[in-house]
Amino acid sequence: MTSLFPFYQLADLCVSKGIEDVIICPGSRNAPLTIAFTENKSLNCISISDERSAAFIALGMSLMSNKPTVIICTSGTAALNFSPAIAEAYFLEVPLLVLTADRPPEWIHQYDGQTIFQTGIYGTHVKKSADWLPDQSSESLIYANRLSNELLNTSVISPKGPVHLNI
C-alpha cells in the first residue's frame, strides 16, 4: 500500500458518488491529492493557478451540472482565496467539495510561510467541515472513507451546499 492510498480512495469515492469535475490549484502540500485525482481517468481535472478564479469556476460548473465539483488547494492563504465563492455557493445552495491541504498544527506561530488556522476556516458558509490526518492504519482509512462519505452526502442533501475537508 502506498502513502497515496487514502487519496486514491477519496478520488474513487468521488467517482462512485457521480462527481465528474475537479478543479486543482497546484501547490506542494496538495501534491498527493493532485496525483490521486489526476490519475483517475473518470474525473475531468482542470488546473487553475488562481484560487479565487478556480473556486468561482467550480461554482459555475456545479450550477450547470447540479452535482458537486471538487476544488483542491494547498495550505495557507490559498484556502482563504476560496472564501468568496464558497459563501456564494452556500447562499445559492450549490454543492461543492472543498479539499484543502494543511500543514501540521505545531507549525503555526513558528514563522513558517503559508501556515494559518485552517480548521473551520469557512465558518458558517459551509454545511459541514471536518479535519482528517491520513495515515496508513486500517482505522484511519475506514474513518477517512466514512467522513468523506458523510461530507459528500451532506453536500447534496437539501438544501445543497459546500462542504469542507481539511487534510
Side-chain angles (χ1 to χ4, degrees), residues 148-160:
S148 303
N149 241 320
E150 285 176 17
L151 286 170
L152 283 167
N153 290 342
T154 299
S155 74
V156 296
I157 294 171
S158 187
K160 295 179 180 183

Side-chain angles (χ1 to χ4, degrees), residues 103-124:
R103 292 178 181 234
E106 62 269 19
W107 291 9
I108 296 175
H109 289 294
Q110 300 302 313
Y111 304 102
D112 190 53
Q114 292 301 309
T115 305
I116 64 171
F117 298 112
Q118 284 184 218
T119 297
I121 196 169
Y122 304 116
T124 56

